[in-house]
């Protein structure tokens, strides 16, 4: 039987409290349940159907994580986005475990051919155009798998947003496990789209300001193709780390010079 729930909060004013029956002021919040079939209830109550629970979260549908993905430019429209930080998360997402963990990846060959946006080989406009198209297609994917961790040998965080059930376990095995915290955007975000005729791979480094107005650098890696290779993704992550560290060193040196000049 459908029921509607009414929550009546006790008023703080003592005069209002005296006007209520004692059953209403037994606690600061009193919950009354009324059967919607009971006679005398207004139409607005009787037409209420099955009560729903908010928030309506389940594996693959986590509001906090979805908002974090949205800040990365991806909105999981199919409500199936899995944050993967440890092997158990793979099981929850219905994925197989990687055959080797930790996974060592030799990306030397891929590093030599991966262009950086803003170089002679790739303009920022082209990179931005492909990146936006990739984000849009990822948003439409049936499932999103998002391994997170540190680039091996560093404490630089990575989030990979991909639609590949095959790549996700291996990417998790490659990344070093980071302490699990509330979902937050990472210094490096990789957008990996599988199953498209377009073939594209590149990375970009951008300087932004945080909420305190302090300059920092972030990186984006985009790998798109019919069957993206993990070596290409890792090459983008490694090159991004080098770029982020170089920018940080440059800002540090500049700050020291400005301090010395004062």
């Amino acid at each position: 039987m459908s029921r509607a729930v009414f929550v009546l909060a006790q008023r703080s004013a003592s005069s209002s409290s005296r006007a209520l029956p004692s059953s209403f002021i037994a606690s600061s919040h009193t919950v009354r349940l009324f059967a919607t079939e009971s006679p005398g209830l207004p139409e607005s109550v009787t037409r209420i159907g099955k009560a729903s629970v908010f928030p309506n979260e389940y594996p693959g549908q986590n509001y906090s994580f979805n908002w974090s993905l949205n800040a990365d430019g991806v909105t999981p429209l199919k409500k199936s986005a899995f944050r993967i930080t440890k092997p158990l998360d793979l099981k929850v997402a219905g994925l197989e475990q990687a055959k080797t963990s930790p996974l060592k990846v030799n990306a030397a060959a891929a590093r030599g051919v991966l262009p950086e946006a803003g170089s002679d080989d790739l303009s920022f406009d082209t990179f931005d155009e492909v990146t936006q198209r990739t984000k849009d297609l990822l948003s439409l994917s049936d499932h999103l798998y998002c391994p997170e961790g540190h680039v091996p040998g560093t404490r630089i965080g990575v989030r990979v947003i991909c639609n590949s059930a095959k790549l996700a376990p291996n990417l998790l095995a490659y990344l070093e496990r980071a302490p699990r915290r509330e979902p937050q955007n990472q210094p490096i975000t990789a957008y990996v789209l599988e199953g498209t005729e377009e073939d594209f791979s590149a990375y970009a480094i951008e300087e932004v300001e945080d909420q305190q107005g302090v300059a920092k650098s972030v990186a984006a890696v985009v790998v798109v193709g019919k069957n993206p290779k993990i070596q290409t993704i890792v090459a983008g992550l490694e090159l991004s780390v080098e770029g982020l560290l170089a920018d940080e060193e440059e800002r540090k040196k500049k700050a020291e010079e400005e301090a010395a000049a004062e």
Side-chain angles (χ1 to χ4, degrees), residues 9-176:
Q10 181 184 8
R11 295 179 179 275
S12 58
S14 59
S15 59
S16 299
S17 297
R18 287 196 297 271
L20 292 173
S22 59
S23 59
F24 276 68
I25 57 175
S27 64
S28 59
H29 291 85
T30 305
V31 177
R32 295 291 184 187
L33 298 178
F34 299 92
T36 56
E37 290 83 2
S38 299
L41 290 178
E43 182 185 356
S44 59
V45 173
T46 57
R47 67 167 175 258
I48 293 176
K50 185 177 180 180
S52 61
V53 179
F54 184 86
N56 184 22
E57 295 187 338
Y58 48 83
Q61 170 74 339
N62 179 281
Y63 292 145
S64 179
F65 182 54
N66 286 354
W67 277 115
S68 185
L69 287 178
N70 189 259
D72 284 329
V74 176
T75 301
L77 297 175
K78 300 297 180 67
K79 299 181 179 180
S80 182
F82 296 90
R83 185 188 184 202
I84 302 173
T85 63
K86 58 184 183 299
L88 179 60
D89 294 333
L90 292 172
K91 184 176 181 180
V92 172
L95 303 179
E96 299 291 334
Q97 300 291 329
K99 294 181 179 179
T100 303
S101 184
L103 180 64
K104 303 296 183 182
V105 179
N106 185 348
R111 285 169 56 100
V113 296
L114 194 71
E116 179 181 1
S119 67
D120 294 338
D121 297 323
L122 178 66
S123 68
F124 275 111
D125 287 343
T126 299
F127 181 85
D128 290 344
E129 178 184 341
V130 176
T131 299
Q132 186 58 57
R133 183 163 60 247
T134 302
K135 292 176 180 179
D136 292 343
L137 292 172
L138 285 170
S139 296
L140 293 169
S141 298
D142 289 336
H143 306 287
L144 291 176
Y145 307 107
C146 307
E148 293 183 9
H150 290 152
V151 176
T154 76
R155 286 296 179 264
I156 296 178
V158 175
R159 170 182 290 163
V160 181
I161 306 173
C162 74
N163 65 340
S164 174
K166 179 177 66 175
L167 283 170
N170 287 332
L171 286 166
L172 181 67
Y174 161 75
L175 295 172
E176 290 183 353

Side-chain angles (χ1 to χ4, degrees), residues 184-232:
Q184 58 184 341
N185 305 103
Q186 300 296 325
I188 303 175
T189 307
Y191 304 90
V192 180
L193 182 65
E194 180 184 77
T196 175
E197 293 301 321
E198 183 175 18
D199 190 6
F200 179 88
S201 56
Y203 74 103
I205 309 292
E206 181 182 8
E207 187 174 87
V208 298
E209 289 186 352
D210 61 18
Q211 294 180 345
Q212 287 72 42
V214 178
K216 66 176 183 178
S217 292
V218 295
V221 179
V222 179
V223 180
V224 177
K226 191 170 184 178
N227 292 294
K229 297 183 180 300
I230 192 172
Q231 290 86 350
T232 305

